[in-house]
Amino acid sequence: MKKLILGLAVTAGTLAFAQQTPSTNPVTFGVKGGMNVSSLSNGADLSDSKSKIGFNAGVFATIPVASNFSVQPEVIYNDLGSKVTREYTVLGNTYRNEYSRNLGYVAVPVMFQYNATPEFFLEAGPEFGFLVSAKDKFKSSTNNNNNNSQITTLNKDDFQTFNFGIGIGAGYYFTPSLGITARYTAGLTDIYKNNSGDAVKNNVFQVGLAFKFK
């Protein structure tokens, strides 16, 4: 919790700094959301772990600090994790099992943006995250349409509360208000407490839409 507060403090400090920084462009606020393609390094002890589709959604402020540079703090919900899919055939029946680890974070990215043109920008910066949910989902099915699903809530005490990563991305605004964004964030912290093996880290590629209020 202290580290999440640190991330929020960085955001608040950035906003305060922006109030004192002269700029011809005003601070703008907006909402954003889109798709996550997330994975866990080392597969969370599953060697055949694959990427999982999730989502992100939240709010942001774009703060000009120079003619071509801006800082964009955000507060978003991030659905991360990974998935394993296995198929096998027995007596002519095909069985498909899907297992996914679903980790929900409230994240505070602080992106430093270079505005190459009024419409196009590049960005990079840190992301601070706080774990709010941890679940495993299991789904099995056959070619006879027999389905079975189960959701297990995991003990969050087994996971690190704080997640830290570095993001890099780009965006393009079709209009002054509506744009498309893409970002890759590499996790730098182990998601597990007391992990005696290799560190397991969050990684995610995000693509979505952003809307600025004018």
Side-chain angles (χ1 to χ4, degrees):
M1 179 64 73
K2 292 181 180 179
K3 294 176 181 177
L4 180 63
I5 293 174
L6 173 62
L8 293 172
V10 171
T11 301
T14 303
L15 288 168
F17 173 76
Q19 299 296 326
Q20 303 174 5
T21 302
S23 174
T24 58
N25 297 319
V27 175
T28 56
F29 298 88
V31 295
K32 63 182 300 187
M35 180 181 70
N36 285 351
V37 181
S38 64
S39 63
L40 295 173
S41 65
N42 298 305
D45 301 326
L46 295 169
S47 59
D48 51 355
S49 174
K50 305 296 182 183
S51 297
K52 181 182 79 72
I53 302 299
F55 72 96
N56 66 85
V59 296
F60 66 89
T62 304
I63 306 164
V65 294
S67 59
N68 291 328
F69 290 91
S70 301
V71 179
Q72 182 167 293
E74 306 172 1
V75 178
I76 62 174
Y77 179 81
N78 243 350
D79 177 27
L80 305 181
S82 66
K83 181 177 72 174
V84 172
T85 301
R86 298 188 178 104
E87 288 188 359
Y88 54 95
T89 301
V90 178
L91 299 176
N93 293 319
T94 300
Y95 297 85
R96 179 183 177 91
N97 293 335
E98 293 183 0
Y99 162 88
S100 63
R101 175 144 294 177
N102 300 266
L103 304 175
Y105 291 88
V106 173
V108 184
V110 181
M111 294 291 112
F112 299 87
Q113 298 179 339
Y114 169 67
N115 305 297
T117 72
E119 300 81 17
F120 177 73
F121 66 85
L122 301 171
E123 64 178 10
E127 178 178 292
F128 311 89
F130 177 73
L131 182 69
V132 293
S133 68
K135 297 180 180 179
D136 280 350
K137 295 181 180 180
F138 176 79
K139 179 180 179 181
S140 64
S141 61
T142 70
N143 55 355
N144 294 323
N145 295 321
N146 295 320
N147 298 321
N148 179 44
S149 61
Q150 180 179 348
I151 299 177
T152 302
T153 299
L154 304 176
N155 187 353
K156 290 195 297 181
D157 290 339
D158 295 331
F159 295 83
Q160 296 283 0
T161 301
F162 178 70
N163 183 67
F164 179 74
I166 296 294
I168 184 169
Y172 182 85
Y173 277 86
F174 304 104
T175 73
S177 296
L178 182 63
I180 185 171
T181 63
R183 180 184 302 164
Y184 178 79
T185 302
L188 300 180
T189 54
D190 194 337
I191 69 170
Y192 294 116
K193 289 182 180 177
N194 305 316
N195 187 357
S196 59
D198 294 335
V200 179
K201 303 174 184 178
N202 285 303
N203 298 292
V204 59
F205 173 75
Q206 301 169 316
V207 62
L209 296 175
F211 182 81
K212 289 183 178 181
F213 299 103
K214 295 295 185 179

